[in-house]
Amino acid sequence: MSLPVLLALAAGSTPSPSPATSTGPVTPTLQDAQESATHAASWVEENWSTWLAIGLRVLLILVVAAVLRVFVRRAITKLIDRMTRTVQAVDGTALGGLLVNVERRRQRSQAIGSVLRSVASFLIMGTAALMILGTFEINLAPLLASAGVAGVAIGFGARNLVTDFLSGVFMILEDQYGVGDVIDAGVASGEVIEVGLRVTKLRGDNGEIWYVRNGEVKRIGNLSQGWATAGVDVTVRASEDLDHVRAVIDEVAETLSKEEPWNERLWGPIEILGLDSVLLDSMVVRVSAKTMPGKARSVERELRWRVKRAFDAADIRIVGGPTVPPEEEPLDPTSAVAAPSALGNPASPQSEATAPIPAPASAPSGAPK
């Protein structure tokens, strides 16, 4: 047997150390590092085209989303600017009075524009994110299915909440009312102190705070937009001279419209509309005026005050009911006298018939009983 064969047999018969008897970690050799680098280089060489295509697709999605977002935001901004210019054009006209004031409309338009821009950005970027996940071959079906089921469950379980939210969104977008307005919401009325997407907070006339759900509001009466009407009914005697009454009221109206602060609160002349009703003993004169929103009650109180003083000075009597009190019927002098009766005469047969029966006389002693 040759020497090389003997060396090979000797090497094969030498027992190799077991892993349990190793005393330390195995140090990677240079050959192992070279093999790892070779495998990595071959993997990159095989997949670089796929990764390049994915990267270009992601970059294209981001660029398109960014360009679309900028375009939509600019379109919304131009729309809001056009709305603002339209409000400025009608300022000072009758339509401008219905639109309240330019500053409030401008602030409302800016708020609506901000909401629309935020919603547009969320939709565009959210869609782009889903497309990017799809580019990485991530299965979106479970995610979308879970979102759909959750949406249905929320829709059935929170119907009132969704109704309140949608109603609040439309109330804000349509500018039905704002903070500081006095409104009548049907279920409650008062001054608006906070407007939310779900609840509107009102302060009542007595200081109480009402929390009104937007979904429960069926109609809204805004007393702070446009203009208000102050109406006063003056009831006088039917015998008064109508021309004299008209002259006195006209003098009061002219004086009130020239004094501050009533000249600012009155947006039109005080008009005598005529007789509202005519009765046998009274008649009602209707007085009306167009006022600043929310100032109708104060104008009515001041107008009543001045009309009463002017009527007192002009000797015109204001009545609120029958002018002539009902006459009392004279007392009958014989009402206190009793009707004649046969029992009043003790000698009459009626009186004798009603007299008590006398007791029988006692019998003498010794008489038989």
Side-chain angles (χ1 to χ4, degrees):
M1 187 176 292
S2 61
L3 181 62
V5 175
L6 293 175
L7 291 176
L9 292 175
S13 62
T14 304
S16 59
S18 61
T21 58
S22 59
T23 59
V26 179
T27 304
T29 62
L30 181 58
Q31 185 178 359
D32 295 337
Q34 290 177 354
E35 291 179 358
S36 300
T38 303
H39 286 299
S42 61
W43 183 82
V44 171
E45 184 178 359
E46 293 175 359
N47 298 280
W48 71 270
S49 58
T50 303
W51 284 102
L52 181 60
I54 293 175
L56 292 177
R57 190 177 301 174
V58 170
L59 180 61
L60 180 62
I61 292 173
L62 293 177
V63 171
V64 172
V67 173
L68 183 60
R69 177 174 175 271
V70 172
F71 176 77
V72 173
R73 289 174 65 91
R74 286 185 179 180
I76 294 174
T77 302
K78 290 182 179 180
L79 178 61
I80 298 302
D81 292 341
R82 182 176 301 178
M83 293 173 56
T84 304
R85 289 196 300 268
T86 303
V87 173
Q88 293 176 354
V90 299
D91 184 32
T93 63
L95 181 60
L98 295 175
L99 294 175
V100 197
N101 54 64
V102 177
E103 181 62 23
R104 173 173 173 175
R105 274 300 201 183
R106 186 189 65 81
Q107 294 178 0
R108 179 67 61 177
S109 300
Q110 295 297 332
I112 294 174
S114 177
V115 172
L116 293 179
R117 284 190 291 267
S118 300
V119 171
S121 299
F122 174 78
L123 292 178
I124 294 173
M125 301 310 295
T127 304
L130 292 177
M131 294 177 65
I132 291 174
L133 293 178
T135 303
F136 285 103
E137 297 182 356
I138 297 177
N139 189 10
L140 299 178
L143 178 62
L144 297 179
S146 301
V149 173
V152 172
I154 292 175
F156 278 104
R159 294 188 301 271
N160 294 332
L161 181 62
V162 174
T163 302
D164 297 339
F165 179 80
L166 294 178
S167 300
V169 170
F170 282 106
M171 285 179 181
I172 294 177
L173 293 179
E174 296 173 1
D175 192 18
Q176 297 181 7
Y177 53 83
V179 176
D181 290 349
V182 179
I183 66 172
D184 181 4
V187 294
S189 60
E191 181 182 357
V192 180
I193 59 178
E194 184 178 343
V195 179
L197 294 178
R198 192 182 69 87
V199 174
T200 297
K201 188 184 297 184
L202 305 177
R203 183 175 297 278
D205 297 335
N206 298 325
E208 68 275 12
I209 296 180
W210 299 96
Y211 294 88
V212 181
R213 290 172 45 196
N214 296 330
E216 298 294 330
V217 178
K218 304 302 180 183
R219 52 114 175 143
I220 289 290
N222 197 323
L223 307 180
S224 299
Q225 288 185 356
W227 45 268
T229 301
V232 176
D233 292 333
V234 182
T235 306
V236 297
R237 294 178 297 185
S239 58
E240 295 290 345
D241 185 5
L242 289 178
D243 295 333
H244 185 39
V245 172
R246 178 184 291 272
V248 174
I249 296 178
D250 287 339
E251 183 179 358
V252 171
E254 183 179 359
T255 304
L256 182 64
S257 60
K258 292 181 180 179
E259 296 182 0
E260 294 184 356
W262 311 109
N263 55 354
E264 297 181 357
R265 298 181 181 181
L266 289 172
W267 284 11
I270 300 177
E271 300 178 355
I272 301 177
L273 302 181
L275 291 177
D276 193 63
S277 64
V278 179
L279 304 176
L280 292 177
D281 52 1
S282 65
M283 54 184 177
V284 179
V285 181
R286 181 72 173 178
V287 183
S288 177
K290 184 182 295 185
T291 66
M292 182 185 300
K295 301 299 181 181
R297 292 186 179 180
S298 61
V299 173
E300 290 175 356
R301 296 188 184 100
E302 184 66 19
L303 187 58
R304 292 190 187 98
W305 182 282
R306 293 176 180 249
V307 167
K308 177 63 172 63
R309 294 179 60 182
F311 278 12
D312 291 342
D315 196 19
I316 299 176
R317 182 178 176 183
I318 297 178
V319 296
T323 56
V324 179
E327 297 181 358
E328 297 181 358
E329 297 182 358
L331 298 177
D332 187 5
T334 63
S335 60
V337 179
S341 175
L343 299 178
N345 185 6
S348 64
Q350 291 80 1
S351 298
E352 292 180 357
T354 58
I357 300 176
S362 59
S365 61
K369 295 183 179 180

